[in-house]
Each structure stands twice: as structure tokens, then as C-alpha cells.
Amino acid sequence: MSITRDEVAHLAKLSRLALTEDELDHFAGQLDVIIGAVARVQEVAAAGIPPTTHAANLENVYRDDVIAPPLDADLVLSQAPAAQAARFRVPRILTEE
Amino acid sequence: MAAADELTTMTAAEMAAAVAAGEVSAVELTRAHLDRIELTDVKVRAFLHVGAEPALAAARSVDERRAAGRPLGPLAGVPLALKDVFTTTDMPTTCGSKILAGWQPPYDATLTRRLRDAGVVILGKTNMDEFAMGSSTENSAFGPSRNPWDLNLVPGGSSGGSAAAVAAYQAPLAIGTDTGGSIRQPGAVCGIVGVKPTYGGSSRFGLVAFASSLDTPGPLTRTVLDAALLHEAISGHDPNDSTSLDAPVPPVVAAARNPDVAGLRVGVVAELSGDGYAPGVLTRFNETVELLETLGAKVTEVSCPHFTYALPAYYLIAPSECSSNLARFDAMRYGLRIGDDGVASAEEVMSLTRATGFGAEVKRRIMLGTYALSSGYYDAYYGKAQQVRTLIIRDFEAAFEQVDVLVSPTTPTTAFPIGERADDPMAMYLADLCTIPSDLAGNAAISVPCGLAPENGLPVGFQVMAPVLADDRLYRVAGAVEAALDARRGASFLAQARGLAGLDETAEAGR
Amino acid sequence: MTVTVPYDLAVARYEPVIGLETHVELGTLTKMFCGSPVTFGAEPNSAVCPVCLGLPGSLPVINKTAIEYTIRIGLALNCSIATWCRFARKNYFYPDMPKNFQISQYDEPLCTDGFLNIEVDGQEFTIGIERVHLEEDTGKSQHVGTTGRIHGADYSLVDYNRAGIPLVEIVTRPVPGTGALAPAVAKAYVSELRDLLRSLAVSDVRMEQGSLRCDVNTSIAPAGSGEWGTRTETKNVNSLRSVERAVRSEIERQAGVLDEGGRVIQETRHFHEETGKTTSGRSKEEAQDYRYFPEPDLVPVAPSREWVQEIRAALPELPAARRVRLQAEWGLSDLDMTALRNVDALDLVAETVAAGAAPDQARNWWLTELSRHANDTGAELADLAITAEDVAAVIALVAAGQLNNKLARQVVDGVLAGEGSPAEVVAARGLAVVTDTSVLSAAVDDAIAANPDIAAKIADGKVAAAGALVGAVMKATKGQADAASVRQLILERCAANLAAAWSPAGGTSRPLTTLRRILSDLSAVCRRTYVFPQSKRDLPAVESAKVAQFFTERYPDFGVPRRCRSPTVVTSGCKTQRRGRSPLE
Ligand SMILES: [Zn+2]
């Protein structure tokens, strides 16, 4: 067993996925198999091997501090599920960040 | 005006030449393809959205340009099917997901813009596995596409809609994206050419991210030359993509026009064959290696010992990045919103929307990635996978000291039936076994058809891998294979596709 | 509910350790990762693009100027500048964060290991700087509902104009050993940091606009134990005064917890301006796992040493050095300098002086009249509706004799009330000093005629009695005369009257003595030298005609003598006088 159902429930919460009990059962089994399989990377002797995060070997890619025209506010809000007073309207926020 | 069939079966290079010569108008060409889509797509289901109006408008502007005597690009007037993962201001972009159903982006992807600037006519947006996660298009929220060779089979994925459209003559050109093999694998199982350019060679700006460090846009076409023409049209530095390479585009078109493998050192990857590979796949692969030898290539076997760890490393890196990339789909600014009843909190609405809007594979990968990045697991999973990535790059570097290109089958098997692996993620993941190493290393790779598997008569793909920014070598080898096989067959490869006959019946019925 | 311990008792028994995390919005033209303009107070969602809105498909590209500004800050804080570092994604869901991750820096900050020296009550403290890193700001939520606060809101409205603005985070090392001064040290650090950032021209550093925001870490441990306690992180501390109050209130609260044998919980707390208290925020149970990983859409930042050297060479004069220089240039006392810093008026005075005002005048205006006004309205000096140029203009008008102090205050009031520039206020309110000499002379004559007894006193040598006549003239001119000038006129007139009536043959030296006294008084009041024979030896040589001539030539019509704009130091006596020669010499 590489991952428990409770852990999967926690992952779902962290990932903002309101999974049903059935889904949790289903995913717990599958993720257990998958994690077991991907854990094979741990077999590799990789001591002292630097990680690769970028396929492209680039550094210092910048842009100049020059203003580009922003989007039209109406266009921006036209795709919003809800908007009000030129702002995105979102459901009440429970936690402060 | 040429017959509609003639118009849709030409190569892209031929179409562009015909438009440039005034033998056919871009509008006629576009209409022929729109008709073909209308008649065949009820079965193939390659498209999620067909933009007849914008396509005809684009075609008209090419015709006007020609009429005005202004120069036309090498692909001007040629229709193209665009994977629905690129933003377009005149068509919706859904990424095959319910969560984005109906989203109309306010901006064009760099690639979209380049296609438009080249006079390429975008016919519509093609089906895909949701957010490019999958190898069959079965993960599309809008239903799977079909393989034109046999409509009961998957067209591969995630760029399955693009591959199917090209194989079904709905478009001579298509754009896909390759993260773990999502261009080459559908290309292989649909019997067409699919190219993953060097990472950074084609811009990701406006490509809805699955795994940022891997995603690479590239062409799907029926011929190697068409692929090269499209490759060139979409490539080059983009200041809006920090990972875009500021380097000259490799001379891919020249290489495709003059394929020559004499003296080329070809390495067969020892680790990418054997158990788990369909016999017909290995048969055709080995024949093609021999063919290259007869064409003057020097073939050796090369070992890349860490390639066997590519699949597990990939299934840590890609989900990790995706778990973060897909966090933005939260029902706040665009797309689907579920459960906003005035009582539910933002957090609840986010969770409900994401649970409803994402399909099973996306949820699996988001949770897998969240797991791999969690404190306490990071080093053992994500960190380790990144080290394996380094080792795979080193394997490639060592191999490319001995040989100019590496070759392998593109996929372990030919196309599989729809439904066969749908709820067996591990079996599905195996489809990308041979293609993943090049994604992890960021180098260039192509899949070119190399015949039909004797046991089932389905296409087999031959993969060629080349070092970073040596994309032209792909075209030398693939062009040589294509030319030799076409000469031997006396016909183009796709002419053998039996499913196409069924499509044509539909087409006849439609008339 | 734990009882708080009075501050003095708390710091007598416990030793505080503080730490500060400061967020500064950089004053670049564009955002951190896109070309959208950095704005404040623009129409909602009018300064956004696909990148800062986090639209699908968008990609970030680093603003080079933001990197340069951050290196500038790092160098000014004596930090090492990384030779290679990366951005990382900090993953958490929040509606005002468009991508639901923040591009930040995790274990590879751009600048590390620096320090900043500060001074509190003449005692110097070195505040260690652990790191300076770069990240992006979030959007702004407005909570709509009955209370207007996050709790109890029905829904929220989000504006993403702020999302993506470059944000520098400056993190101190823990600061022990400040004892009872901990709150003052915290405040002095933020104040010094703010001055530093301002001098570097990397941010407008307006705390009230949120371009500088502080999180304050506080812990206490029993005095002499040599241990450090569990720290709390107080957020939402957005003014200098609040920084001080937040530390103080946390020390008092934590002392209460420990006194009762309790345990301080490591948590986030929120500071409330109204009460000056902190309340518990997110509990530990909800602690976030941010799942940091290197941002794959960006490539590493590896500032060349040449570039860093260039930036270092171009660093401006830093505040500490500048203060030393200004104090010398202005001739102000340590006390004055401290007072100016306390009300954040150093730059204002410098600007006022740069606009032509005398340093002591500039200091006076900002420290007294304008500070009082700021206090009354609860505003910062810099936010008053008067510019340094305005103040300099008022000072110039006074110096030119066109305003007296009383009128000048009215002009300043007018400027503050938004009535326009000082010149406009003077014109609109009709505040100019009465400078028409014929009007003034007439008023002086009237006053002398109406008060013969006072005139007699003056003639008798009681020069101080002139004050009553000044009052009469001021009243007659409705206060719009310059009192000093009036006094001068009166004395001159009295002197002239005396001179005219004087005769050496009269045998008495009394008028002469009076004259001398009057003139010496005039010299003192008017900062100029009225020359008159000083020694008895000269007396026989003085003739009445010459005395009269002296006045008529020098002060025709007994007009207001022209006053010098810059102060002329007059010691005493005729030998040091600087203007023209006296007819008596
Ligand atoms: Zn922007």
C-alpha cells in the first residue's frame, strides 16, 4: 500500500476537488498502483546528480519595462461567470490569506 | 475547378503551389475541406469546432492577396486543423474539457498568429484528451475521435483529433502538442507523419499548459515535406515565451526536399524493444532499419540505460506541473461555475466546479502531482524524477557522441480498440513508452509511417530522435524512409487505409 | 480570555525577539511578468492582460527593471547578490490570485545576508537582513455584505489591476537584545527601510496605499533565560505607528499567556488599527503546504557580476549619509533632525530648501504649522494638499514683506483647503500686506496724532511704548500691515520728529540719547543698521540739519526701508554697517 484512502481524500481537498465517496474509493485504488509504479524512480542511483527542471538550457531571459496595451475591461469581464461593477463577482471568501 | 476529392487528397505543398499558380483558389480549397469535414466528421469526430466563416474569410484574404500580386508564403491558402489547446480569438478554446466549454479567448496564441500571418487557413479546433492528458482522445469531455483506419479504434492521443483529421483527408495539415508523445503516437497509429520539434523551437504562448517543461507544439501531416513546411512556419523565437529558443530554425525544409542518409550514423536504442512490443511493430521497425542500411546509413545498437525510468519519471514530472498549471481553473474568472447558490463559499464552488468540470484522468493526475510536490514527498518523488531527467539527458548526450540519430518504434503497439484501456491508466501510459525520453530531454523527434503490422494491417510508426536543434536530421531520415517506401508501394501510404472507404461511403450517402 | 500584562511589567520580566517581513511594491512602469501598466486607483480590471489575469495559455516573462531594482535594494542593504537563482511557484488557492499559484522565490532568493543600521534614542542597532526576494502581488477583493468585512460577506468583487505588480519581500533575521525598545526598534527599522527605498527610487513606498506592507514577528522569553520563545506573525500592519503598537500589544499579550502558565501558539495574527490589539488568524491545523517547485515557465536568473557592479556604482547617496550632509548644510541641531525624521519631514524640508527657502524657515513651517495641521486631520505631512514649492513660495512672500506671519498662515490654510497656489490664495483672499507707504504713513501719523501721550513717552526715551502705536496702526489697517514695518515706520517718524526738533544749542543731550536708543531698536527689529553717532566725542560735530538730512535722504517719505531677502548679520555700531555710507560719517 503506497497511499491510503485518507491521504487521497486529503489530496483531493488540497487540490480543490469535491470527490464523491465512490470516486475516492476508485481513485485510491488507482493512485496506489500508479504511485507504486512511479516510485521506481527511487531505484535509480542518483546521488550527486543535479535535477533538471528546464529542458531548454537558458538563463537571463528578460523583457524591457515597456507598457503593452492592456485588454479591454469589457472583453475581460465578458467571459466571467459573474461580474458586477467592473469586477469579477465571486462567492463569499471564508479564509483570509 | 478540380474535383473535390482531388483537392483534398493533394499534399499541402501541392495545394500551396496550386493556389500560388492560380489553378485553384484558397476559397475553393477551403470549401472542399469544409465539405469533407461536414460529410465525414459525423464518423471521425475529429473536430470540436469548425469555423467555416473565419476559415473562408482567411481564404478570401489569401485570394485577394494573390490577386493584388502580393507575395504568398509557402503554405498560403492551405487548410489546417488546430488542436483545441491553442487560443484563438475567433473560435472557442476548450482543451477537450467541460470546465472550459464555450470559453472564447481574448487573445491569439503566438502559433495561431503565425499561422494566420502565413496565410494558412484554420478550419477549426480538433478534439483531444482533456488538457492533453491521454493517449486515445477517450479522455475528451466531448467523446472520443475515431481512427480513420478503423473507426472502432482510437486515433491515439492526446492530439488524436488532429491526427484523425489529417488521416481522414479533412485537412492536409494539423497542429498537435507533444508532452509525452501526444503528436508522434497519434501520428503513428493514424499512419501519418508527426513531429515533436526541439523544446523551445515552437512557441508555447497561448498553448494551454499541461506540463510546461515538456509541452511542445508540432506538425501532423501526410508527408514529410508538408511537416517540414509547417514546422518552419510555426518555429522561431517568441519573446512572450521565456523558454523559447533565440536561435535560427534548423533547415528542415531543405532536409525534407533532399533526404539523404548516406553515411549517417543511426543508433538503434536497445532499451526500446523486446517484451511488450507487438511483433508486427518490431517486424516493420527492423525492416526499416535494414532499409536505412541499404540507403547507406551506418547502423549500430546504442544503450540508453536510464530510458527504462523515463516513464515513471514522466508520470511524476508531468502531473506535478499539471497540478499547478490547472489550479487556475477555479470558476472565478472564466469557464464553468457550479454550485454558486449564494450560500456556498468560494472554496466550495471551486471544489464542486473542479470535481464536475474535470474528467477522471485529469483528477488522477492533479492528485498525483499534488502528492509528488507535497512536503515530505518532494525529494522522493518530484526531486528524484528531476534527477532521472538529468540521467536521461546524459544518456542522449552519450549516444549522440556515437551516432547522429537514434531510432525506435514510435509506439509499442498499433492502434487499440476504443474502451480497451479507458479505465486502466497504467496500460494507457505504456503507449508513450518510446516517445517520453525525447520529451524529458527536450530534443527533436519524428514519427514516420513504416508499413502495416502483418497481424492486423494497422500502421506502424518509425521514430527518429535527434539532438537539440538538429531537427533537420529528422527530416533527412524520415524523408528517405518515406521516399523508399512510397517507391516500393507505388502509392502513398494512406491509400491503404480501409476505414477511409467507410468514410467515403458516408460521403456518397451524404450526396 | 488571557489578561494582558502592562508593558513595563512585561518587558521587565520577559525579553522580546522581533523580526519583520516587509513587502514593497516596486515602482516599475509595468508588472513583474507582463507589460500591463502598474497603476494605483485606475478603473477596475483596466490594467490587465492574459498574463496577469492568469488566462489559460499565458506565460510570464521577467521584467528586467524589477530585477535591477531588487539588486539595488539588496546592495543598499549590504546583501550578497545571487549568481544564479530561480523563481518558484507557491501553490495555494485564493480568488484574488489568478493562477492559484504565486510566482515567488523559495530557497534561492536574489539577495541574501545583509544588514541595516538604525538608531533609537541615540542607541545604534544592526538589523540583520536574511533575504530579499522578488514575487508578484495579488488582486484586491472587496467584500460585499452587511458588515463589509470578510466574515459575514455575501460575496466578493475582485479587481486584478494589482495582480502581478512586482513585490519585493525583505526579511530580517530575528532581532534579540532590544529589551523594552523592541517596539521602537521595529518602527525605526521600517522607517529607515522606507527612507532607504525612497532614496533608491525603486518604490513610492506609501504605506497607506499598501505599497509597503509589514508582517511583524514577535516572541518573548523569560528575561535572562537565554532562550527564544514561540513567535507569532502579525499581519495587516500598515503604518509606522501600527508597527510599534503591534509589537507592544503582542508583548503584553504573550506575557499574559506565559504569566498564566500558558503556551504561546505559533500562529498568524491580525492587527486592528481601531483597538491596537491583535487577534488570532489562521490556526496551525490549517497550515498550508505550498508545494513550492521551480517555475517551469521561467528560466534561471544569473545576474552577471559586471551588471551588479554597474548597479552598485550607480547607487545614490543613502539616507544615513544624506542626513549627515543635510544637517551640516542646514545648520540644524540633532534635536531638529530627529524631530524632522519623526514626522517624516526631511524630504519635505529638503525640497522646500531646494525651492529657495531658508532652512530654518522651512523647518519651522513643516514642524509647527503644518505638523499641527497634519495632526488635526490625521494625515501624513507628505499627504497634505500643499507642496514643498508652495511652502517655499509662502516663505518667499514673507521674506519679501508681502505677507506677515499671520497672513502667511491664512495663505497656507487656503492652499490646504484647495484654493490654489499661494499666489492664487493671496489674490483671491486679498491677503497681501499693505505696502502702500502713503497709506501706512498716513496711518502712522494718525496714530501719533491720536496718542500724543505715547508719542511723548517715546520722545522721553521709552521706546517700548511704540508697541501701543503699532497696535493702533494694525487695527486701522485691519491687520494687513507688517507689524515690524509699522514699528519701524513709527520709530522712524518719532526719530525724525525728534531730529527736526533737535538743536545742539538746546544743550541737552536727551533727544540724542533717545534717538540713539530708537535707532538701535530699529536696527534690532529690522535687521539692518541705522547709523548714528555712537560716541560722545562725535556729538559736537552733529548738527540738526545733518540729522534731518540723514532721515530725508535715507528714508524719503519715511517709507518702509527695503528689507534684505537674505539675513544680514548686523553686529553693532556704525563700523560694521554694510549699506551705503551715512551722511554723518
Ligand atoms: Zn498583464
Side-chain angles (χ1 to χ4, degrees):
Chain A
M1 197 73 176
S2 49
I3 189 166
T4 65
R5 189 179 181 282
D6 282 352
E7 284 177 289
V8 174
H10 176 67
L11 289 177
K13 190 166 184 285
L14 260 183
S15 316
R16 294 285 186 277
L17 292 167
L19 299 185
T20 63
E21 294 301 311
D22 284 352
E23 278 182 305
L24 274 180
D25 291 338
H26 198 60
F27 286 137
Q30 289 177 333
L31 285 174
D32 188 47
V33 173
I34 296 169
I35 290 169
V38 297
R40 277 190 59 221
V41 294
Q42 292 158 16
E43 296 167 9
V44 182
I49 302 297
T52 295
T53 50
H54 295 80
N57 201 13
L58 297 169
E59 278 177 358
N60 297 330
V61 175
Y62 304 122
R63 57 178 190 84
D64 290 333
D65 189 21
V66 176
I67 292 175
L71 286 172
D72 181 69
D74 293 339
L75 186 60
V76 166
L77 293 160
S78 70
Q79 297 297 306
Q84 184 179 318
R87 294 170 174 87
F88 291 85
R89 181 177 163 157
V90 304
R92 65 205 177 90
I93 301 167
L94 287 187
T95 51
E96 285 176 82
E97 187 43 56
Chain B
M1 181 189 160
D5 272 3
E6 258 176 70
L7 286 182
T8 53
T9 52
M10 285 194 279
T11 68
E14 288 165 352
M15 291 181 202
V19 169
E23 292 159 18
V24 64
S25 72
V27 168
E28 284 167 337
L29 205 50
T30 301
R31 282 231 169 83
H33 284 92
L34 289 171
D35 289 349
R36 172 84 183 164
I37 293 167
E38 196 179 334
L39 291 168
T40 58
D41 212 42
V42 284
K43 289 200 171 177
V44 181
R45 298 191 170 277
F47 285 85
L48 292 176
H49 180 92
V50 177
E53 282 315 309
L56 287 167
R60 266 193 297 277
S61 100
V62 170
D63 288 337
E64 281 161 15
R65 203 181 160 85
R66 184 185 173 275
R70 286 154 68 199
L72 296 178
L75 288 175
V78 180
L80 174 140
L82 184 60
K83 187 174 181 179
D84 200 23
V85 74
F86 291 93
T87 58
T88 42
T89 51
D90 51 3
M91 298 180 209
T93 298
T94 69
C95 303
S97 181
K98 261 194 289 184
I99 211 160
L100 268 185
W103 180 53
Q104 177 56 64
Y107 76 108
D108 268 339
T110 297
L111 187 135
T112 306
R113 170 84 1 237
R114 286 194 177 156
L115 291 172
R116 294 193 204 280
D117 290 348
V120 172
V121 175
I122 300 171
L123 296 171
K125 309 292 285 289
T126 58
N127 195 18
M128 56 187 283
D129 286 295
E130 186 176 8
F131 288 108
M133 297 176 207
S135 309
S136 70
T137 69
E138 289 167 289
N139 295 332
S140 167
F142 308 107
S145 299
R146 309 279 167 157
N147 190 322
W149 289 74
D150 179 338
L151 298 176
N152 296 313
L153 304 180
V154 301
S158 64
S159 312
S162 284
V166 170
Y169 293 101
Q170 294 173 335
L173 302 173
I175 292 290
T177 58
D178 200 308
T179 305
S182 283
I183 291 174
R184 289 161 289 161
Q185 183 261 1
V189 301
C190 284
I192 60 170
V193 179
V195 183
K196 183 200 99 69
T198 295
Y199 179 85
S202 45
S203 168
R204 294 186 296 116
F205 187 76
L207 153 61
V208 181
F210 158 22
S212 307
S213 76
L214 302 166
D215 296 342
T216 311
L220 282 151
T221 60
R222 291 190 290 263
T223 72
V224 173
L225 176 61
D226 286 358
L229 290 168
L230 186 52
H231 187 138
E232 193 171 71
I234 62 170
S235 298
H237 182 239
D238 176 12
N240 288 323
D241 175 358
S242 303
T243 60
S244 168
L245 299 173
D246 193 359
V249 180
V252 290
V253 173
R257 287 192 197 280
N258 301 293
D260 176 14
V261 294
L264 195 77
R265 297 171 301 163
V266 174
V268 176
V269 181
E271 286 75 13
L272 299 180
S273 69
D275 284 352
Y277 287 76
V281 167
L282 292 179
T283 304
R284 294 301 175 228
F285 172 72
N286 291 332
E287 283 173 11
T288 310
V289 172
E290 282 161 28
L291 173 68
L292 286 172
E293 254 178 328
T294 63
L295 295 173
K298 292 179 199 155
V299 177
T300 50
E301 190 178 84
V302 173
S303 173
C304 296
H306 296 97
F307 278 20
T308 51
Y309 295 101
L311 191 72
Y314 172 82
Y315 276 97
L316 286 165
I317 292 167
S320 295
E321 292 183 12
C322 110
S323 72
S324 175
N325 282 332
L326 270 61
R328 73 190 65 199
F329 302 103
D330 64 356
M332 298 296 121
R333 290 161 296 281
Y334 45 81
L336 189 70
R337 179 181 287 187
I338 301 280
D340 185 11
D341 55 6
V343 179
S345 67
E347 185 176 339
E348 287 164 338
V349 169
M350 282 184 189
S351 301
L352 272 174
T353 303
R354 288 164 63 81
T356 312
F358 288 142
E361 181 62 19
V362 171
K363 291 184 210 174
R364 268 193 293 270
R365 294 205 197 181
I366 287 175
M367 285 190 287
L368 179 58
T370 302
Y371 176 80
L373 290 176
S374 293
S375 64
Y377 296 107
Y378 183 95
D379 289 341
Y381 290 98
Y382 185 74
K384 200 75 179 188
Q386 299 284 33
Q387 289 180 305
V388 170
R389 196 169 180 180
T390 306
L391 292 169
I392 286 166
I393 291 172
R394 290 182 181 177
D395 279 359
F396 268 118
E397 284 168 356
F400 286 132
E401 278 176 16
Q402 303 165 51
V403 297
D404 300 310
V405 295
L406 291 170
V407 298
S408 78
T410 307
T411 59
T413 70
T414 54
F416 46 89
I418 288 172
E420 188 184 87
R421 304 181 187 178
D423 201 35
D424 185 353
M426 285 312 297
M428 189 72 87
Y429 296 171
L430 288 174
D432 297 330
L433 196 61
C434 310
T435 45
I436 283 172
S438 279
D439 288 298
L440 290 176
N443 59 28
I446 193 171
S447 175
V448 62
C450 65
L452 302 177
E455 64 265 32
N456 57 16
L458 291 171
V460 175
F462 182 79
Q463 177 177 229
V464 186
M465 295 166 271
V468 165
L469 283 176
D471 304 40
D472 50 316
R473 291 185 203 167
L474 307 177
Y475 291 93
R476 280 176 70 186
V477 179
V481 168
E482 179 188 63
L485 292 181
D486 278 358
R488 196 182 284 176
R489 270 190 300 267
S492 88
F493 184 70
L494 263 181
Q496 309 160 79
R498 51 180 191 274
L500 287 171
L503 295 181
D504 289 339
E505 280 160 25
T506 317
E508 292 304 323
R511 281 171 197 154
Chain C
M1 188 70 201
T2 302
V3 182
T4 59
V5 175
Y7 185 72
D8 290 345
L9 288 180
V11 292
R13 288 206 296 275
Y14 298 100
E15 178 65 34
V17 176
I18 53 171
L20 290 108
E21 290 172 24
T22 310
H23 286 95
V24 186
E25 277 183 359
L26 292 183
T28 47
L29 292 177
T30 67
K31 294 186 178 179
M32 185 62 232
F33 299 114
C34 64
S36 299
V38 168
T39 57
F40 181 81
E43 287 298 304
N45 296 302
S46 66
V48 294
C49 76
V51 179
C52 55
L53 263 183
L55 291 188
S58 65
L59 294 172
V61 184
I62 298 169
N63 183 340
K64 188 175 186 186
T65 302
I67 299 284
E68 181 182 332
Y69 282 8
T70 309
I71 293 175
R72 208 185 278 176
I73 293 170
L75 290 174
L77 289 171
N78 309 293
C79 289
S80 309
I81 309 303
T83 52
W84 191 91
C85 66
R86 288 177 298 188
F87 282 92
R89 290 189 184 176
K90 180 181 183 181
N91 294 286
Y92 64 98
F93 285 84
Y94 206 74
D96 66 13
M97 201 167 52
K99 302 182 294 291
N100 285 319
F101 61 77
Q102 181 189 33
I103 304 179
S104 181
Q105 292 193 285
Y106 180 46
D107 47 2
E108 298 164 5
L110 192 48
C111 319
T112 50
D113 218 5
F115 63 89
L116 180 64
N117 288 327
I118 59 158
E119 200 188 288
V120 176
D121 291 355
Q123 203 179 330
E124 190 158 285
F125 293 90
T126 295
I127 309 296
I129 304 293
E130 185 177 303
R131 58 187 285 158
V132 178
H133 80 242
L134 198 44
E135 58 190 32
E136 55 180 340
D137 210 343
T138 61
K140 260 185 174 160
S141 308
Q142 177 186 322
H143 307 295
V144 183
T146 44
T147 61
R149 303 183 58 168
I150 192 161
H151 301 291
D154 296 327
Y155 58 90
S156 298
L157 297 175
V158 193
D159 169 14
Y160 292 102
N161 281 350
R162 198 181 68 178
I165 291 182
L167 206 55
V168 164
E169 182 173 330
I170 301 163
V171 183
T172 68
R173 295 189 186 288
V175 185
T178 56
L181 287 178
V185 167
K187 180 187 172 188
Y189 163 75
V190 178
S191 169
E192 183 69 33
L193 183 62
R194 192 187 51 173
D195 290 352
L196 183 78
L197 293 167
R198 201 171 280 158
S199 76
L200 294 173
V202 295
S203 169
D204 61 0
V205 236
R206 306 294 284 268
M207 290 189 86
E208 68 289 351
Q209 287 182 4
S211 59
L212 188 149
R213 318 196 275 269
C214 282
D215 299 342
V216 182
N217 295 329
T218 314
S219 72
I220 60 170
S225 69
E227 288 169 0
W228 290 2
T230 305
R231 69 190 170 89
T232 59
E233 184 179 6
T234 306
K235 298 197 175 252
N236 196 21
V237 191
N238 293 333
S239 73
L240 284 179
R241 184 164 163 263
S242 297
V243 168
E244 190 167 22
R245 289 167 83 210
V247 173
R248 194 182 167 95
S249 140
E250 261 306 280
I251 290 172
E252 292 172 349
R253 187 190 68 83
Q254 292 183 15
V257 173
L258 295 184
D259 272 4
E260 289 180 358
R263 213 166 45 84
V264 173
I265 301 163
Q266 185 175 347
E267 63 181 349
T268 297
R269 298 186 68 83
H270 297 288
F271 180 74
H272 304 280
E273 295 276 353
E274 325 80 60
T275 59
K277 303 286 179 207
T278 66
T279 57
S280 178
R282 201 176 40 238
S283 73
K284 194 69 190 147
E285 183 252 334
E286 289 173 69
Q288 296 273 5
D289 180 352
Y290 291 120
R291 286 163 284 130
Y292 283 100
F293 73 105
E295 165 58 279
D297 285 329
L298 293 173
V299 302
V301 172
S304 74
R305 295 302 96 178
E306 292 73 29
W307 191 32
V308 173
Q309 197 43 49
E310 258 173 54
I311 297 171
R312 189 193 298 276
L315 282 181
E317 180 185 34
L318 299 182
R322 176 166 175 259
R323 281 195 300 271
V324 170
R325 175 176 60 80
L326 288 180
Q327 185 171 6
E329 282 176 14
W330 295 348
L332 297 185
S333 67
D334 287 355
L335 220 59
D336 278 339
M337 292 302 282
T338 306
L340 286 176
R341 284 193 71 198
N342 283 346
V343 294
D344 199 21
L346 213 60
D347 285 344
L348 294 167
V349 170
E351 285 166 33
T352 311
V353 171
D360 60 335
Q361 291 294 307
R363 180 212 58 183
N364 279 349
W365 275 100
W366 287 107
L367 272 187
T368 56
E369 186 64 19
L370 292 166
S371 284
R372 190 179 49 72
H373 192 90
N375 260 339
D376 291 350
T377 55
E380 299 286 329
L381 275 180
D383 294 333
L384 293 180
I386 189 165
T387 64
E389 286 72 24
D390 292 336
V391 176
V394 171
I395 291 171
L397 287 170
V398 174
Q402 291 172 38
L403 290 178
N404 58 26
N405 284 336
K406 184 180 158 206
L407 291 176
R409 279 196 292 275
Q410 291 180 36
V411 171
V412 165
D413 285 344
V415 174
L416 288 168
E419 293 168 23
S421 69
E424 286 162 351
V425 176
V426 165
R429 289 196 180 187
L431 291 178
V433 157
V434 176
T435 53
D436 186 335
T437 48
S438 58
V439 174
L440 278 183
S441 291
V444 167
D445 285 343
D446 288 351
I448 290 172
N451 300 282
D453 47 331
I454 298 174
K457 275 187 187 174
I458 296 173
D460 207 31
K462 297 196 175 76
V463 177
L469 291 179
V470 172
V473 173
M474 292 303 282
K475 200 170 172 186
T477 54
K478 299 193 180 76
Q480 276 179 255
D482 178 39
S485 307
V486 170
R487 185 183 173 82
Q488 190 177 341
L489 270 181
I490 291 168
L491 291 177
E492 284 174 9
R493 174 57 60 92
C494 289
N497 289 346
L498 272 172
W502 182 64
S503 154
T508 171
S509 66
R510 189 164 185 78
L512 236 185
T513 312
T514 303
L515 253 183
R516 212 188 276 132
R517 207 175 283 170
I518 292 173
L519 293 176
S520 124
D521 198 54
L522 269 171
S523 296
V525 168
C526 304
R527 290 185 180 170
R528 56 163 303 155
T529 309
Y530 288 77
V531 182
F532 202 77
Q534 296 292 308
S535 67
K536 261 193 167 164
R537 202 156 38 85
D538 295 334
L539 277 177
V542 178
E543 294 170 17
S544 68
K546 282 198 172 173
V547 175
Q549 186 192 351
F550 164 74
F551 283 99
T552 48
E553 280 184 3
R554 191 131 184 177
Y555 313 116
D557 303 325
F558 305 107
V560 182
R562 211 168 277 135
R563 291 173 61 173
C564 36
R565 282 196 60 146
S566 56
T568 306
V569 180
V570 175
T571 49
S572 70
C574 58
K575 299 283 186 281
T576 58
Q577 63 101 9
R578 294 180 181 188
R579 305 187 167 203
R581 297 185 133 244
S582 157
L584 298 178
E585 283 177 296

